[in-house]
Amino acid sequence: MPFSKVVSIALLIGAIGIQSVTEAQVFPKPEISVERLYSYPLINGRSPSAPSMSPDGSKIAFGWNQTGERKLDLWVMDYPSGKKRVIVEADKILDLPTQDDRRTELEKTESRVYDGGIGGARWSPNGDELMFSYKGRTWLVSPDGKNLRPIVDGSLPYGGFQYSRDGKSFYLTSGSNLYRMDRATGSIKQLTFLNTPRQSVGDYIVSPDGKWIALVWSDSSKSGSHVMMDFSKDRATVVNIQRMWNGDLSINDQIGVIPASGGVINFVTGFPRYMWLKGFEWAPDSSKFAVGYITEDFQEFALATVEPAKAVKREILKEKAPKNYINDWRYIDWTRDSKSILLGTDQEDGKFINRSIFKLSEDGTQRTAVYKENHDVGSFARPEDSDRIIATTAGKSPLSAEITIIEPDGKRKVHEVIPGGYSVPKAFNWADLPLFSKDGKRIATMASSRTINAELYGVEPEIKRLTQSQLPEFAKIKWAKFQPVSFPGPEGATIHGILITNPNMDPNKKYPAILSNIYADSGKAAWAGYAENYAAMNLDMVVLCVDFRSSWGQGGDFNSGYYRKMGLIDADEAVAAKKFLTALPYVRNDRVGLWGWSYGGFLTCMTLLTKPGEFDTGVAVASVTDWKSYNEWYTRRRIGLVSTDKEAFDKNSPITYASGLQDNLLLVHGILDDNVLFQDTARLAQRLIENGKYFDMLAYPRDDHSIGQDKSRPHVFSSILRYLYMKLHRP
């Protein structure tokens, strides 16, 4: 019986497919194996982590490890010279003593192995000090590494430390409430007085003049729970988690104000209790703060201002979704004179447009475009002491991102740090901001491309590379050809992606092909790891990465375009991508596969089950298979509520189509996944069994959604590529 017909409960896959393949199909063993590429010390090193620029722009602090190992030390760089030094070595900060350590030896070992070190630091208002968290405490240190000390030398339940505007105090949270610590005396003053279980102060912002605190009160008592099992121990143990489920209706928030001296929260009238907050910013003159929110059903966005003494909502803007739903992308900032609000939106005159920046008068009566083009803005901000606007944009291509400076007179300056790549950090469905000083005159960034992982670069006063994280071994990697491509998609859309091929392939030969890591934004020209390059260069495959529906870069309609048809409209896009591939003279039309993770795993399942026979093979990692079991914040905007529209959930869930499987399918999941639950894969497996379908399955007993443990990470990527290789290269 071929390996593809082994029943689903088979968990052994270390040598997947070996029983059914010929010698010619033995998985290749190049000089640098796929397992090595995903193992520590990382060949690409450890990219600088959480960099932050000092207020005057003279220094950058960041976490870093030049050996490629996991644990990060704290570094400081002089800017723009690039001279850098370690100021805190993570190994020199010791754990607090433990009187009765009841952890198992494995738990103790993993605590050491997975210690990520010091991920980054926050600058004090005058730049003479850094604050960071590590080993359960919050620390202070001078930029030269001197005077290292914890704010509280013990494991007291204090956290969330923030500097006051004048640097003389710290704000902190403990339990449900907000406190302030006086730096000179060490005294702590309670500022809020919540006592009901599961009610707490969440986000809070202090007014620039230091007189008021605007905050979010939250009640989490309706949040759901779930039971997982840890099967890795001698006796399986229960793991309890709290998480949101569709239908819990668990959001209960209020906006409130207190004086800086503390007191009973004065809740602002007029806001709904169930809303999705998208912006929360004080005007520079402290006269009011702005609140942006999306309604619970994701059909409206509203922008309001609040005067702290009155605590009354004044609505100045309301947007209704032209169709589909309101996209998450809503940025809010103020102009420096406090007379206008800068709004990032993808709507105008009741229609979807590209993501743009508008200026609104404080009463909402006047609206002017600051940046409105035929391409998207990824993010934007105004430096505290400047009228410049620093934005990330996709002006060159939907697949790349550059830094655009909008001067006070409207003139623009565009910086492309890595031509054709990502000049800023890639984020989920947007492009993140670069670093900048308070006066906006000094700018640095994290930039990457498909062939170089993220590094620090100077931008202004000059573009230059500031860090090099890669180990010498990285230079041995041979890189594929990465070519931007476009092709027609469903509903008249143009689909963009990156075609990845071996530059030395024989154009007269036909090769198997894969759609790799299928997901929104997976076609971007930012660093994405090694899987695609490895498949092209070592496994004789043609690879295509696609920006599927809901990617940013193509406007609001495309970004929200899988409303109530998740896994349906983008499965059609997968078919369009296959059509593009098989039109190439060097691609086999009978050996095209696909794989994805999380939503990409879901889309893999939906494509194979609803388009049987279209693709030869798929690998679905950590897949949602029934949207009823996922978070309400994600599912409600895209499908609605299962209590009122079960048919839509059934239509958009793979378990509905289990009878359609005809092709090779490998299901992969971490049993301790608290994001997409393992039960999703288990339920699909059961449904496939009930329908007499045969497939392969791999479970990681001690892994969560990332499948990121030291032994698991290289194993899972090797398993994905081995499965695709063995199936697609068979005779």
Side-chain angles (χ1 to χ4, degrees):
M1 180 183 295
F3 191 79
S4 62
K5 301 302 181 184
V6 176
V7 75
S8 63
I9 58 174
L11 298 182
L12 297 177
I13 200 167
I16 192 164
I18 295 297
Q19 301 151 338
S20 66
V21 298
T22 65
E23 286 298 317
Q25 287 177 268
V26 173
F27 194 66
K29 295 181 179 179
E31 179 182 2
I32 303 178
S33 67
V34 64
E35 290 87 354
R36 173 67 191 100
L37 291 171
Y38 287 95
S39 298
Y40 284 93
L42 297 176
I43 290 176
N44 51 275
R46 295 281 276 132
S47 294
S49 171
S52 60
M53 181 174 280
S54 62
D56 66 358
S58 66
K59 294 179 176 62
I60 299 173
F62 55 100
W64 204 30
N65 186 327
Q66 288 186 299
T67 71
E69 294 291 357
R70 178 180 281 104
K71 188 181 291 186
L72 302 173
D73 300 317
L74 183 61
W75 289 67
V76 166
M77 172 191 296
D78 294 331
Y79 188 73
S81 73
K83 183 180 179 181
K84 46 194 169 288
R85 57 204 171 273
V86 180
I87 65 165
V88 181
E89 295 180 51
D91 280 336
K92 292 186 177 179
I93 296 181
L94 303 179
D95 290 303
L96 288 166
T98 302
Q99 185 70 42
D100 300 302
D101 193 343
R102 298 183 180 180
R103 295 176 300 169
T104 65
E105 289 304 314
L106 177 60
E107 289 170 337
K108 293 176 184 177
T109 298
E110 289 190 342
S111 178
R112 294 191 298 271
V113 170
Y114 296 108
D115 181 352
I118 305 167
R122 178 181 301 171
W123 289 94
S124 63
N126 64 4
D128 65 350
E129 186 178 68
L130 287 156
M131 177 194 296
F132 66 92
S133 296
Y134 184 52
K135 298 276 190 181
R137 289 170 283 178
T138 299
W139 301 80
L140 302 174
V141 66
S142 301
D144 59 4
K146 297 179 180 178
N147 200 21
L148 174 67
R149 73 275 188 201
I151 297 176
V152 178
D153 198 3
S155 56
L156 294 173
Y158 298 146
F161 285 90
Q162 292 186 22
Y163 286 101
S164 63
R165 294 272 181 166
D166 59 11
K168 295 180 179 179
S169 303
F170 296 118
Y171 292 96
L172 61 135
T173 56
S174 181
S176 299
N177 286 294
L178 180 64
Y179 297 79
R180 186 178 67 242
M181 174 189 289
D182 185 276
R183 298 196 62 177
T185 66
S187 64
I188 297 177
K189 178 178 175 57
Q190 187 168 348
L191 302 179
T192 62
F193 302 89
L194 302 175
N195 296 298
T196 304
R198 302 189 72 173
Q199 294 181 3
S200 62
V201 173
D203 194 12
Y204 67 91
I205 49 173
V206 182
S207 62
D209 63 8
K211 295 180 179 180
W212 297 95
I213 302 174
L215 54 82
V216 181
W217 168 95
S218 296
D219 179 351
S220 62
S221 59
K222 292 184 180 179
S223 291
S225 61
H226 181 68
V227 173
M228 301 189 299
M229 297 295 294
D230 184 349
F231 294 106
S232 65
K233 300 177 180 178
D234 291 341
R235 295 190 179 187
T237 58
V238 174
V239 180
N240 294 300
I241 62 170
Q242 296 291 130
R243 76 191 295 275
M244 184 184 289
W245 294 68
N246 184 283
D248 282 349
L249 306 179
S250 58
I251 302 300
N252 186 7
D253 292 340
Q254 293 189 77
I255 305 296
V257 184
I258 59 172
S261 58
V264 175
I265 300 171
N266 187 12
F267 290 111
V268 181
T269 59
F271 285 105
R273 298 287 288 270
Y274 192 161
M275 59 181 172
W276 308 94
L277 283 170
K278 297 309 304 173
F280 198 36
E281 293 288 341
W282 279 100
D285 66 2
S286 301
S287 62
K288 58 185 72 69
F289 60 91
V291 180
Y293 66 92
I294 297 174
T295 55
E296 61 172 292
D297 61 0
F298 294 93
Q299 291 302 305
E300 292 185 353
F301 168 79
L303 179 62
T305 60
V306 178
E307 295 180 21
K310 296 179 181 179
V312 175
K313 168 194 172 189
R314 181 188 186 189
E315 189 171 284
I316 66 170
L317 173 76
K318 181 173 284 186
E319 295 178 334
K320 293 186 177 182
K323 60 179 180 177
N324 306 335
Y325 53 83
I326 295 287
N327 292 309
D328 254 346
W329 197 84
R330 293 295 185 277
Y331 272 74
I332 295 173
D333 209 337
W334 288 83
T335 56
R336 193 153 60 121
D337 61 10
S338 299
K339 294 181 179 180
S340 302
I341 295 174
L342 299 171
L343 172 68
T345 180
D346 58 5
Q347 282 186 235
E348 186 178 33
D349 297 330
K351 298 178 181 179
F352 278 128
I353 59 172
N354 285 99
R355 296 180 179 184
S356 304
I357 307 171
F358 294 91
K359 183 165 71 173
L360 304 177
S361 58
E362 61 177 338
D363 61 1
T365 59
Q366 298 179 32
R367 171 174 171 144
T368 57
V370 176
Y371 191 101
K372 180 189 173 187
E373 302 293 345
N374 62 353
H375 57 261
D376 277 1
V377 176
S379 56
F380 74 88
R382 179 188 58 79
E384 185 175 339
D385 296 336
S386 173
D387 291 311
R388 286 182 127 190
I389 297 173
I390 299 174
T392 62
T393 56
K396 303 281 186 178
S397 162
L399 304 179
S400 61
E402 61 274 344
I403 300 167
T404 298
I405 312 300
I406 306 165
E407 303 290 0
D409 62 3
K411 293 181 180 179
R412 300 175 185 175
K413 184 186 300 181
V414 179
H415 297 293
E416 193 176 8
V417 177
I418 299 180
Y422 247 60
S423 294
V424 289
K426 182 178 182 290
F428 183 77
N429 217 227
W430 71 92
D432 230 331
L433 286 166
L435 313 174
F436 47 84
S437 57
K438 284 180 65 175
D439 64 9
K441 294 180 179 179
R442 290 191 171 185
I443 303 173
T445 192
M446 292 285 291
S448 72
S449 73
R450 282 278 173 163
T451 60
I452 186 74
N453 52 299
E455 297 284 8
L456 267 169
Y457 290 80
V459 180
E460 290 187 0
E462 64 175 320
I463 293 178
K464 69 174 182 178
R465 185 170 172 176
L466 300 172
T467 59
Q468 181 166 330
S469 304
Q470 298 75 28
L471 304 187
E473 199 174 357
F474 187 81
K476 297 180 181 179
I477 297 174
K478 294 179 174 61
W479 292 101
K481 178 182 177 182
F482 295 82
Q483 177 185 352
V485 296
S486 301
F487 49 89
E491 298 183 346
T494 298
I495 308 301
H496 301 276
I498 294 181
L499 182 66
I500 306 166
T501 55
N502 189 327
N504 297 317
M505 71 177 182
D506 183 349
N508 298 312
K509 181 180 175 181
K510 286 188 175 289
Y511 298 86
I514 57 171
L515 304 182
S516 186
N517 196 20
I518 60 175
Y519 211 136
D521 298 312
S522 68
K524 301 299 188 208
W527 176 251
Y530 299 103
E532 289 75 30
N533 190 73
Y534 192 91
M537 297 301 292
N538 300 115
L539 303 183
D540 285 334
M541 293 183 179
V542 175
V543 183
L544 181 61
C545 292
V546 176
D547 261 17
F548 282 90
R549 196 70 53 124
S550 88
S551 298
W552 85 275
Q554 293 180 253
D557 194 354
F558 190 83
N559 193 212
S560 63
Y562 59 4
Y563 178 60
R564 298 172 68 85
K565 47 189 176 182
M566 292 192 297
L568 300 171
I569 185 69
D570 35 7
D572 288 339
E573 290 174 340
V575 172
K578 181 202 170 187
K579 182 178 180 180
F580 167 80
L581 281 170
T582 55
L584 300 173
Y586 46 82
V587 171
R588 289 185 62 174
N589 60 12
D590 63 337
R591 290 291 186 268
V592 181
L594 73 171
W595 78 273
W597 198 306
S598 195
Y599 185 93
F602 154 80
L603 181 53
T604 298
C605 292
M606 284 291 284
T607 303
L608 292 187
L609 299 178
T610 65
K611 310 286 185 182
E614 190 72 49
F615 289 85
D616 181 87
T617 299
V619 180
V621 186
S623 312
V624 175
T625 66
D626 186 346
W627 287 112
K628 293 194 301 291
S629 62
Y630 199 58
N631 290 312
E632 189 169 301
W633 63 264
Y634 188 95
T635 54
R636 189 169 183 182
R637 83 179 67 194
R638 294 166 172 85
I639 315 177
L641 288 174
V642 67
S643 59
T644 59
D645 202 349
K646 182 178 181 299
E647 182 180 349
F649 278 76
D650 292 341
K651 183 179 178 182
N652 288 264
S653 295
I655 59 171
T656 304
Y657 308 99
S659 63
L661 182 65
Q662 293 182 12
D663 311 299
N664 300 303
L665 172 62
L666 169 63
L667 298 174
V668 183
H669 217 123
I671 292 178
L672 297 181
D673 190 338
D674 58 358
N675 180 16
V676 178
L677 304 174
F678 178 72
Q679 75 169 40
D680 272 61
T681 286
R683 291 185 64 211
L684 177 60
Q686 182 61 34
R687 192 70 64 91
L688 290 168
I689 292 168
E690 291 169 358
N691 280 275
K693 301 299 178 179
Y694 295 92
F695 56 97
D696 302 307
M697 184 169 171
L698 169 61
Y700 287 87
R702 303 199 67 247
D703 276 276
D704 58 17
H705 194 62
S706 67
I707 311 184
Q709 295 201 40
D710 275 5
K711 299 298 183 181
S712 303
R713 193 68 171 178
H715 187 275
V716 71
F717 273 99
S718 180
S719 296
I720 293 166
L721 292 172
R722 284 169 180 265
Y723 192 84
L724 293 167
Y725 178 81
M726 298 300 182
K727 298 302 181 184
L728 297 177
H729 274 288
R730 72 186 189 278

